[in-house]
Amino acid sequence: MTVAVRSFAKINLGLEIGPRRPDGFHGLRTVYQTIALHDRLRVEVARGIGIEIRSNDPRVPCDESNTCWRMAERAMKALKARGRVVIHIEKSLPVQGGLGGASSNAVATLLALERGLAKQLPSAERLRLAAEVGSDLPLFLVGGTVLGVGRGEQVYPLEDLPSLDCVIVTPEVGISTPQAFAEWDRRQEAGGRMQETGKLTAAAASDKLVGSSHAVCAWLSGSSTGVPAQRGGDRAEALLLDLVHAGIENDFESVVFPLHPELRRVKRALAGAGAGYASLSGSGSTVYGLFRSRELAQKAALRLGAEGMPAVATKTLTRREYWKRLRD
Ligand code: C5P
């Protein structure tokens, strides 16, 4: 049997980094939002044993370091299935781009295997497997607008934002997430030395996470109660204004922008082209802008493209659209 699925990308609407935990991960708070850009996967279970990965993109690893491999291994075991798993990844999303491509591919592998084998794991088991493979996987088992806490793997469906037009720009700069976290720590420690003790820094980081929860809450409740039930551009504009007013930001910008100033220029260019809100996604290198209309987003993508920035106009996906399109 062969099953074909779409594997969508995400952006982060704000990302607050907390203290480093004893397990080496960082506590964080973020709002994930799925978007329409996607890879395509074909997953086949044939006679035999083992896992094989093929991709049109030579940058995709085809060994056990691939998240799809790690998921296929776990999923076959959990589903008590046998066979040779062949995964074809038709890559359109950037590799290491901050759009969660590899994480999304792994979740797509799980969903395709379940469908192909006509078996389903309980959702708690799915979430457990996903979190084991990586912090950014579980969000793709929810889709739409998702709150991420813990190390990002604890996910809660939020009231979906309406579909928003956006422009995604991914400059050819490879950013490693572990390195970005390490650089964050280095800067925190340098800052912390000026404070009395390291403990104080950790406490301040925890407080900051609570503050960011309040900001997200203010933004989301402002948008659901403060904005009259308008359609289209007005509603999008009000939401974006709320987002800016709530002060929601991505902490990775303070680490990544000084190292790659061209990304800060992209953010400015998006704002200059009319984005209501612009930000780095994850640890980058993707920078996105949210726009109040499709027309504005398309114009902005053209303008940035003409200035040599690889920009594409797309839209955010609500939970319903995400699941519908994934299976179509
Ligand atoms: O979970 P994931 O495989 O995406 O994490 C990759 C690396 O990123 C981890 O090994 C860790 O170094 C870093 N990380 C972190 N804090 C998080 C998520 C990831 O320090 N919340």
Side-chain angles (χ1 to χ4, degrees):
M1 66 88 209
T2 303
V3 175
V5 280
R6 291 196 176 99
S7 166
F8 293 101
K10 60 84 182 162
I11 52 176
N12 297 80
L13 303 173
L15 191 158
E16 193 107 26
I17 307 173
R20 205 168 121 100
R21 313 187 315 190
D23 64 4
F25 284 89
H26 294 73
L28 60 83
R29 295 260 196 288
T30 187
V31 176
Y32 300 109
Q33 174 65 55
T34 47
I35 61 170
L37 297 186
H38 60 273
D39 292 333
R40 287 172 193 274
L41 261 74
R42 268 185 302 123
V43 179
E44 199 183 323
V45 180
R47 278 171 186 270
I49 52 162
I51 298 166
E52 187 182 329
I53 299 190
R54 302 177 188 160
S55 177
N56 63 328
D57 188 330
R59 290 172 302 175
V60 172
C62 293
D63 59 12
E64 60 274 16
S65 68
N66 190 305
T67 48
C68 295
W69 181 300
R70 286 160 51 209
M71 178 55 90
E73 204 174 31
R74 287 168 170 78
M76 290 296 279
K77 204 166 162 194
L79 291 163
K80 299 187 175 57
R82 285 184 191 193
R84 178 170 185 75
V85 182
V86 184
I87 306 163
H88 303 252
I89 306 171
E90 196 185 313
K91 204 85 200 145
S92 308
L93 300 173
V95 178
Q96 281 201 340
L99 292 175
S103 303
S104 171
N105 290 173
V107 170
T109 299
L110 168 64
L111 298 174
L113 282 172
E114 282 190 342
R115 188 155 15 132
L117 296 164
K119 290 181 175 182
Q120 213 172 318
L121 294 174
S123 44
E125 174 82 346
R126 280 174 163 183
L127 286 164
R128 191 184 61 75
L129 290 189
E132 229 178 82
V133 176
S135 310
D136 267 5
L137 268 72
L139 85 105
F140 292 106
L141 287 169
V142 181
T145 312
V146 183
L147 177 68
V149 297
R151 60 180 160 90
E153 94 290 12
Q154 290 171 30
V155 287
Y156 300 91
L158 291 171
E159 191 183 334
D160 256 332
L161 294 177
S163 187
L164 293 167
D165 291 280
C166 54
V167 172
I168 305 292
V169 188
T170 309
E172 285 279 323
V173 180
I175 294 168
S176 134
T177 304
Q179 272 170 26
F181 273 115
E183 178 63 15
W184 170 266
D185 288 341
R186 205 189 55 74
R187 283 168 182 255
Q188 293 301 106
E189 276 157 27
R193 276 198 288 276
M194 283 185 267
Q195 305 212 5
E196 273 181 319
T197 64
K199 264 193 188 150
L200 213 140
T201 314
S206 287
D207 285 354
K208 201 165 67 85
L209 279 190
V210 174
S212 86
S213 296
H214 293 166
V216 169
C217 183
W219 168 49
L220 291 169
S221 53
S223 55
S224 58
T225 57
V227 183
Q230 299 155 333
R231 301 194 72 79
D234 293 344
R235 175 111 200 264
E237 187 160 24
L239 262 169
L240 297 182
L241 276 176
D242 280 345
L243 182 55
V244 174
H245 285 156
I248 291 170
E249 287 182 353
N250 181 343
D251 275 344
F252 276 121
E253 289 187 356
S254 67
V255 172
V256 172
F257 283 178
L259 295 175
H260 305 284
E262 64 272 39
L263 302 185
R264 193 196 300 278
R265 283 197 289 277
V266 173
K267 179 169 170 171
R268 288 202 182 120
L270 281 163
Y277 180 81
S279 171
L280 188 74
S281 182
S283 58
S285 64
T286 296
V287 182
Y288 67 85
L290 300 177
F291 290 80
R292 60 180 291 265
S293 76
R294 191 169 164 190
E295 201 192 349
L296 270 175
Q298 283 173 339
K299 269 193 187 159
L302 282 176
R303 186 165 141 188
L304 266 69
E307 291 171 26
M309 297 174 229
V312 49
T314 183
K315 59 183 196 118
T316 63
L317 287 184
T318 61
R319 194 161 303 124
R320 212 184 127 133
E321 286 173 317
Y322 173 79
W323 286 105
K324 185 172 176 298
R325 291 213 205 175
L326 190 144
R327 296 190 178 117
D328 264 355

